[in-house]
Amino acid sequence: MAIHPERIVIVGGGVTAARTAQAVRDLDANSAIMVLSEERIAPYDRPPLSKEALLTDPAPAPTTLLSVDDAAASDIELRMGHRVVGLDTKARLLDVDGQAEPVPFDKLVVATGTRARSLPVLRGLPRVCHLRTADDAARVRSALKSGEPLVLVGGGFIGLEVAAAARKRGVDVTVVEVTPLPLGGVLGDEMAGSLQQWHRDRGVRFRCGVSIEYAVDRGTYTEMGLSDGTSLNAGCVLVGVGVDRELDWIARAGIKTHVGVVCDHDGRTNVPEVFATGDIACLHDRDGCRPASHWTAAVDSAQRVARRIVGLDQDPESDEEYFWSYQGDLRLMSVGHRSSSAKLHLVSGDLGAGKFAVEWREGDEVIGAVAANSAGDFLRSRMALRRNQEPIPR
């Protein structure tokens, strides 16, 4: 009797889906691997979409993570334009929009990532856009080249990255942020205030502590009324107010969901042989719910899921929570986290000068670090954090 190869299906078209497929193939030469991607181009890297893709002339092609040729060479079946809309976990079948035949699987990896969150007050207006896909980046790039005023709704990392790129193109930029400071909840007031001033010094305007009450398309511009009674006009409005996860079809199948798909550190869900990885997942452990939200975390989780799928032991856990953000000439790197009881310690430089390294400390223990254009000092703080996280020998 012939033994059929195990069918591993990965749903998603981003970095996590690509890296999971590649990692499984590196560890397992025999299983049949299929990637179902909703997008119609091969999986590509998204971080450049808010940076190089907006500035480089001519417009660069997306950085491919798993090309059709590379997938074929690795015996990975890559199906683009396949949007999964349903799942039967007992029969182990996936329903794909527009396809008559369901897709069977033995092991399933959900790596669908997130979608840009929209604001009802701005929904449907022609000059409003988001930045999540290569098509989105092309639209934003076209708007920046036109030189029309840009309003960024949301002062998070994506918003500030686009603000820096727009200023390099000479575009008039205003950031509307509902909280008192952009990234205040992530960086704390002192560092967030310094970052805001750095952008102000380069011509970015900020309207913080206000929300959008109404928005009207005026033909050649969008008029927005703010909660403080003032208004703004924009040739382009870019919304960057977080992300949503498409969970309906997953929850209907009996898979536990919360902020994302609930899983353990190895990506296992409550349904056997169904895994979640990358931005769609939320890790539930003794520290509560922790969604994956950065590129490196997504890649790390793909490696862990791949090892679990093929039955290998895991490498030692790493909870560094490392990420970076390039905002024009400001190269920010962050690792660890900031707690309510942590104290900010300046390691080097000056927060207002665009070159610094700081640590968050609880007593003498480093629990997080942030640096701007100071790679050496950041590396030393990162090593200190790793030493703190090393398990105590028994």
Side-chain angles (χ1 to χ4, degrees), residues 333 371 374-386:
M333 295 174 289
S374 301
D377 288 325
F378 178 76
L379 179 59
R380 284 185 282 274
S381 294
R382 190 175 186 181
M383 296 306 295
L385 176 64
R386 286 180 177 175

Side-chain angles (χ1 to χ4, degrees), residues 107 266 268 275 303-314:
K107 293 181 179 178
D266 294 343
R268 292 175 292 193
F275 302 81
Q303 294 290 335
R304 289 196 301 272
V305 166
R307 293 182 68 85
R308 177 57 61 190
I309 284 175
V310 302
L312 294 178
D313 291 335
Q314 295 292 355

Side-chain angles (χ1 to χ4, degrees), residues 18-32:
R19 293 296 182 252
T20 302
Q22 292 163 330
V24 171
R25 177 54 75 224
D26 288 344
L27 298 169
D28 178 359
N30 299 316
S31 291

Side-chain angles (χ1 to χ4, degrees), residues 141-227:
R141 176 190 174 88
S142 177
L144 295 186
K145 291 188 74 172
S146 73
E148 295 179 311
L150 170 69
V151 170
L152 293 159
V153 182
F157 287 109
I158 296 296
L160 295 182
E161 288 170 358
V162 175
R167 288 303 301 146
K168 282 201 168 186
R169 284 200 175 272
V171 174
D172 182 282
V173 178
T174 302
V175 175
V176 176
E177 169 59 43
V178 70
T179 64
L181 286 168
L183 291 173
V186 178
L187 301 176
D189 289 354
E190 184 176 0
M191 199 182 311
S194 296
L195 180 62
Q196 181 186 47
Q197 189 58 53
W198 190 90
H199 282 280
R200 275 178 172 157
D201 291 343
R202 284 148 186 81
V204 179
R205 299 186 184 91
F206 287 88
R207 301 294 303 275
C208 294
V210 297
S211 57
I212 299 174
E213 296 287 302
Y214 72 85
V216 180
D217 175 35
R218 299 300 188 190
T220 58
Y221 65 92
T222 299
E223 177 187 328
M224 289 169 289
L226 305 183
S227 57

Side-chain angles (χ1 to χ4, degrees), residues 228-239:
D228 62 0
T230 63
S231 63
L232 286 172
N233 296 331
C236 175
V237 181
L238 175 61
V239 181

